[in-house]
C-alpha cells in the first residue's frame, strides 16, 4: 500500500485554495489541511501521452511528455480494461513504435524514474485496434519511358469491387493516385523521384483491406540501407550505411538529423557512405540519409535509433518539437502540442474515461529590432499562416548556464559559428530569477515555513502539484531538497528551467511520504 499526502479543497474570505488539480498559490493563503490516504496506485502525474484513437495495423506509434526529471521511462499497457498491466518499454526515448497488436482495446500508462524513485502514471485515452483483412500481394512496378506499369496478385479468388493504388515519392507518405477494377494499372510518373506503390482491395466504398507490401522502387535511387549511428563520446557520432548505385554513377549522400523531436534539417553531404558528426549538440538526436545525383536527392532511409547527449530536462522541455521557418525578415518558431485529457474512474484500477485528444500550437517570431538586435516575440497562428516562409535549415540548441542553471537557447545552423541568442527574449520584462521567492535562511523538511513570492507576469513556477503565479505570501511545506536547496520548475513562453532557492535545509525528523497529488 502506498501512502501519500492529499491537499483538500478549502474556501475562505482571504483566498481560494485548490486541492484537487494543481493548487494555484494565491496572494494570501496556501493549502494547509493534509490527510493521509491509502491506495495501491501511485499518484496521478502531470503530463500527456498521445496516440491515435484507432489503429488499422499491428503497429502503433505513441509518444509522451511528463512534468518531472527523468533518467528513464517505463511504459505499460493493458488489454483488459486496466485490471492488469504489462511493461512494454523501458528506456530514455519518448517517441516509439510498438508492434504485434491484434484486434481489441488497449490502454497505456507511463511514468518517469530517476534516482531510484518513479512518478505516478500518465494515462492514455483508449486505443482501438481494428485490423482489416490482408491486402493484395506481390506488387511489381516497371517503368517504360514516362509511364509506370503496376501489377499485383489478389489475395483471394473473390474479385474486389475496386483496387485503390497509392504512391510514395522519395519515401514520403503514401497518397492515393488512382483506382481500378483490374489487378493492374498504367500510371504517369509525375516527377523525377524514387517511387513505390501499395494497393488496397475494397469491397465497397467503406470497407477496404490492409495495404499490400510496397512494390520495388522505380525512377530513382533507393534509400540507403543499414544506417547506424554510434556515439563515440568526445570523438562525435559516427554514421555509416550501405552504398547506393553503381561504380559508374556519380552519387553523393545527404545526411539529415532531428534534434529533440523537431523538424529534419540538413547536416552535411558526403561522397562516402559514412560521416562523423562533430561537435554534437546536447539533446536527443536521430539521423537519416538519402542518395543524390546531379539532378536531385531521392528516397529517404529509415531513421536511426536515438542518440542522447542529454544534459537537462529543462533544455529538452524548452526545445522539444520546435520547428523553424525562414522569412525575408526573420524566423518563425512553431511548437506543435498534442495531449490527451481524461477523467478517471475512482478505485483501484483508475481507468480513464471520457478521454479526448487535443492538438494546438505555439508560435514565436525572431526578428531584428530598431537597435539591430535579434528579438523574439510571441505571435499567433494567423500571422504564421499568412507569412511567406519556407522550412529552414536552422534549429534551436540549448545548454545550461553554469551559474543560474537556466537554459541558454540559440538559433543556429550546426557547423556554423554564427548563431542567434534567444535566451534574453524568451523571458519577459528582464525579470530577475533570484527575486522569485523569499525563504527564511534555514528550513526543515516537513515543517511549515512562511515564504514570499513575486513571479513576473507570464511566468509560472511549480513545486510538484503547487503552481505559483503573481505576488503572494503564505505557509509552505518543503518535503524534498535538490542541489543544495529547494528547487522549483519555472516556465514562460514555451521555455522551462529549474529555479533553485539556495537555503540551508535541515533534514532531521523529516516524515516519509510521496509527492502531493491531485485527486
Amino acid at each position: 500500500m502506498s501512502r501519500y499526502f492529499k491537499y483538500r479543497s478549502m474556501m475562505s474570505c482571504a483566498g481560494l485554495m485548490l486541492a484537487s488539480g494543481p493548487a494555484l498559490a494565491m496572494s494570501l493563503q496556501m493549502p494547509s489541511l493534509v490527510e493521509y490516504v491509502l491506495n495501491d496506485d501511485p499518484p496521478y502525474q502531470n503530463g500527456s501521452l498521445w496516440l491515435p484513437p484507432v489503429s488499422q495495423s499491428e503497429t502503433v506509434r505513441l509518444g509522451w511528455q511528463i512534468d518531472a526529471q527523468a533518467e528513464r521511462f517505463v511504459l505499460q499497457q493493458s488489454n483488459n480494461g486496466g485490471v492488469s498491466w504489462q511493461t512494454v518499454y523501458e528506456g530514455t526515448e519518448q517517441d516509439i513504435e510498438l508492434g504485434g497488436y491484434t484486434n481489441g482495446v488497449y490502454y497505456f500508462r507511463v511514468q518517469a524514474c530517476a534516482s531510484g524513485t518513479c512518478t505516478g502514471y500518465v494515462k492514455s485515452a483508449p486505443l482501438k485496434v481494428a485490423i482489416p483483412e490482408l491486402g493484395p500481394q506481390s506488387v511489381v512496378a516497371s517503368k517504360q519511358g514516362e509511364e509506370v506499369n503496376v501489377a499485383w496478385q489478389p489475395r483471394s479468388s473473390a474479385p474486389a469491387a475496386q483496387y485503390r493504388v497509392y504512391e510514395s515519392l522519395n519515401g514520403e507518405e503514401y497518397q492515393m493516385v488512382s483506382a481500378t477494377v483490374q489487378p493492374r494499372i498504367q500510371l504517369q510518373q509525375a516527377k523525377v523521384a524514387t517511387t513505390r506503390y501499395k494497393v488496397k482491395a475494397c469491397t465497397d466504398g467503406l470497407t477496404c483491406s490492409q495495404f499490400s507490401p510496397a512494390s520495388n522502387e522505380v525512377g530513382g535511387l533507393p534509400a540507403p540501407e543499414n544506417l547506424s549511428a554510434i556515439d563515440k563520446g568526445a570523438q562525435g557520432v559516427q554514421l555509416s550505411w550501405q552504398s547506393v548505385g553503381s561504380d559508374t554513377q556519380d552519387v553523393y549522400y545527404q545526411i539529415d538529423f532531428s534534434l529533440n523531436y523537431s523538424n529534419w534539417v540538413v547536416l552535411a553531404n558526403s561522397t562516402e557512405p559514412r560521416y562523423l558528426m562533430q561537435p554534437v549538440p546536447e539533446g536527443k538526436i536521430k539521423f537519416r540519409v538519402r542518395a543524390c545525383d546531379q539532378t536531385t536527392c531521392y528516397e529517404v532511409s529509415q531513421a536511426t535509433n536515438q542518440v542522447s547527449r542529454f544534459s537537462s530536462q529543462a533544455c529538452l522541455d524548452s526545445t522539444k518539437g520546435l520547428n523553424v521557418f525562414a522569412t525575408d525578415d526573420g524566423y518563425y518558431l512553431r511548437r506543435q502540442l498534442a495531449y490527451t485529457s481524461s477523467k478517471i474512474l475512482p478505485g483501484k484500477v483508475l481507468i480513464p474515461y471520457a478521454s479526448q485528444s487535443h492538438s494546438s500550437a505555439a508560435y514565436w517570431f525572431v526578428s531584428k529590432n530598431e537597435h539591430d538586435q535579434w528579438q523574439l516575440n510571441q505571435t499567433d497562428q494567423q500571422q504564421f499562416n499568412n507569412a511567406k516562409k519556407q522550412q529552414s535549415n536552422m534549429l534551436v540548441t540549448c545548454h545550461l548556464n553554469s551559474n543560474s542553471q537556466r537554459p541558454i537557447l540559440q538559433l543556429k545552423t550546426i557547423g556554423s559559428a554564427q548563431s542567434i541568442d534567444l535566451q534574453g527574449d524568451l523571458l519577459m520584462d528582464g525579470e530577475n530569477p533570484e527575486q522569485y521567492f523569499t525563504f527564511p535562511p534555514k528550513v526543515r523538511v516537513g515543517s511549515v515555513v512562511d515564504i514570499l513570492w513575486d513571479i513576473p507576469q507570464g511566468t509560472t513556477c511549480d513545486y510538484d502539484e503547487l503552481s505559483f503565479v503573481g505576488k503572494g505570501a503564505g505557509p509552505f511545506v518543503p518535503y524534498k531538497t535538490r542541489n543544495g536547496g529547494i528547487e522549483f520548475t519555472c516556465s514562460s513562453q514555451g521555455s522551462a528551467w529549474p529555479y533553485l532557492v539556495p537555503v540551508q535545509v535541515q533534514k532531521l525528523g523529516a516524515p516519509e511520504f510521496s509527492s502531493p497529488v491531485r485527486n
Side-chain angles (χ1 to χ4, degrees):
M1 303 280 280
S2 63
R3 183 176 70 176
Y4 59 89
F5 279 131
K6 179 179 72 175
Y7 287 119
R8 291 183 113 180
S9 298
M10 299 179 64
M11 294 285 292
S12 75
C13 60
L16 170 67
M17 285 153 311
L18 306 174
S20 48
L24 183 62
M26 303 300 285
S27 61
L28 295 178
Q29 195 168 4
M30 292 279 290
S32 58
L33 178 60
V34 177
E35 65 178 74
Y36 284 99
V37 176
L38 297 178
N39 195 304
D40 285 335
D41 282 312
Y44 180 85
Q45 172 65 37
N46 286 337
S48 57
L49 197 159
W50 52 92
L51 70 168
V54 177
S55 173
Q56 294 187 337
S57 73
E58 65 173 12
T59 62
V60 60
R61 177 163 290 278
L62 66 162
W64 56 86
Q65 178 268 331
I66 295 182
D67 299 338
Q69 296 288 332
E71 296 173 357
R72 60 186 175 90
F73 299 95
V74 179
L75 177 70
Q76 296 184 330
Q77 75 176 27
S78 173
N79 61 359
N80 55 15
V83 176
S84 61
W85 295 86
Q86 174 189 7
T87 298
V88 292
Y89 174 76
E90 187 169 350
T92 60
E93 295 200 21
Q94 293 177 256
D95 181 12
I96 64 171
E97 185 175 270
L98 300 174
Y101 288 96
T102 57
N103 290 347
V105 177
Y106 298 83
Y107 291 90
F108 296 86
R109 65 184 189 182
V110 65
Q111 61 183 172
C113 300
S115 303
T117 61
C118 295
T119 67
Y121 288 109
V122 173
K123 300 174 185 290
S124 77
L127 165 69
K128 181 180 179 181
V129 177
I131 303 176
E133 296 293 325
L134 293 175
Q137 54 191 346
S138 303
V139 183
V140 177
S142 58
K143 188 170 175 22
Q144 297 179 349
E146 297 299 320
E147 295 180 338
V148 177
N149 294 316
V150 184
W152 55 91
Q153 181 178 339
R155 181 68 66 171
S156 65
S157 58
Q162 183 186 75
Y163 293 104
R164 297 181 180 178
V165 183
Y166 295 76
E167 180 184 74
S168 172
L169 302 177
N170 290 335
E172 300 300 329
E173 185 176 355
Y174 279 85
Q175 304 289 339
M176 182 176 170
V177 292
S178 189
T180 179
V181 297
Q182 301 295 327
R184 69 191 67 85
I185 196 170
Q186 190 175 72
L187 301 169
Q188 291 290 121
Q189 190 166 29
K191 58 183 294 187
V192 177
T194 301
T195 310
R196 296 179 190 266
Y197 299 90
K198 289 183 178 182
V199 182
K200 286 183 178 181
C202 302
T203 56
D204 54 46
L206 299 175
T207 305
C208 292
S209 70
Q210 299 179 44
F211 273 123
S212 69
S215 73
N216 56 292
E217 83 281 351
V218 292
L221 296 170
E225 297 181 345
N226 301 324
L227 174 62
S228 67
I230 301 175
D231 191 348
K232 293 192 172 184
Q235 298 179 37
V237 175
Q238 180 67 60
L239 306 175
S240 62
W241 56 91
Q242 186 174 323
S243 60
V244 170
S246 64
D247 294 338
T248 59
Q249 289 180 285
D250 187 10
V251 175
Y252 68 96
Y253 303 95
Q254 176 184 295
I255 303 123
D256 303 336
F257 79 109
S258 172
L259 177 65
N260 293 336
Y261 311 98
S262 61
N263 53 295
W264 290 97
V265 298
V266 177
L267 172 61
N269 293 329
S270 174
T271 57
E272 301 294 330
R274 66 191 67 88
Y275 182 78
L276 180 67
M277 184 186 193
Q278 173 66 293
V280 181
E282 297 179 1
K284 298 186 176 185
I285 312 170
K286 287 187 176 183
F287 301 88
R288 67 183 191 183
V289 176
R290 64 178 81 212
C292 310
D293 59 20
Q294 298 303 315
T295 304
T296 188
C297 289
Y298 295 96
E299 188 175 37
V300 68
S301 72
Q302 294 291 321
T304 64
N305 291 331
Q306 193 166 257
V307 174
S308 294
R309 291 290 183 92
F310 188 45
S311 61
S312 73
Q313 187 67 37
C315 271
L316 179 59
D317 291 341
S318 297
T319 60
K320 182 177 180 180
L322 277 177
N323 293 341
V324 183
F325 301 84
T327 72
D328 292 338
D329 301 320
Y331 301 90
Y332 277 95
L333 308 183
R334 181 184 66 186
R335 172 180 285 127
Q336 297 280 30
L337 307 173
Y339 59 96
T340 299
S341 65
S342 302
K343 297 180 180 179
I344 305 295
L345 290 174
K348 176 179 171 57
V349 178
L350 295 181
I351 300 176
Y353 73 97
S355 299
Q356 292 182 323
S357 296
H358 306 271
S359 62
S360 61
Y363 303 89
W364 296 267
F365 185 61
V366 181
S367 60
K368 287 190 174 182
N369 59 22
E370 63 273 16
H371 304 295
D372 201 34
Q373 297 174 330
W374 287 102
Q375 182 173 341
L376 184 145
N377 293 298
Q378 196 157 19
T379 186
D380 57 31
Q381 182 177 4
Q382 182 177 358
Q383 294 188 43
F384 175 82
N385 290 341
N386 292 336
K388 294 182 179 180
K389 57 191 179 298
Q390 60 184 359
Q391 192 84 44
S392 172
N393 202 40
M394 300 188 77
L395 71 161
V396 180
T397 63
C398 175
H399 65 275
L400 289 185
N401 182 289
S402 58
N403 296 322
S404 67
Q405 292 298 296
R406 298 186 63 180
I408 304 299
L409 304 179
Q410 290 183 323
L411 186 62
K412 64 183 301 184
T413 301
I414 296 299
S416 171
Q418 296 183 342
S419 64
I420 300 173
D421 188 356
L422 302 181
Q423 171 59 29
D425 296 319
L426 280 176
L427 305 177
M428 301 179 63
D429 303 326
E431 67 258 26
N432 183 354
E434 297 181 355
Q435 299 176 1
Y436 283 9
F437 293 91
T438 302
F439 270 70
K442 293 183 180 181
V443 300
R444 181 185 294 272
V445 171
S447 297
V448 178
V449 296
D450 291 321
I451 67 171
L452 304 173
W453 60 90
D454 186 358
I455 314 296
Q457 182 180 0
T459 299
T460 300
C461 292
D462 297 323
Y463 186 83
D464 279 335
E465 298 303 315
L466 298 178
S467 294
F468 295 83
V469 296
K471 294 183 179 181
F476 177 80
V477 181
Y479 63 91
K480 65 179 181 180
T481 63
R482 183 178 175 86
N483 298 326
I486 307 298
E487 187 173 275
F488 298 78
T489 299
C490 298
S491 59
S492 173
Q493 298 189 26
S495 177
W497 63 91
Y499 172 84
L500 182 67
V501 181
V503 298
Q504 183 177 345
V505 181
Q506 298 175 333
K507 298 184 180 182
L508 295 178
E512 296 181 357
F513 55 87
S514 299
S515 304
V517 300
R518 63 186 184 189
N519 216 18

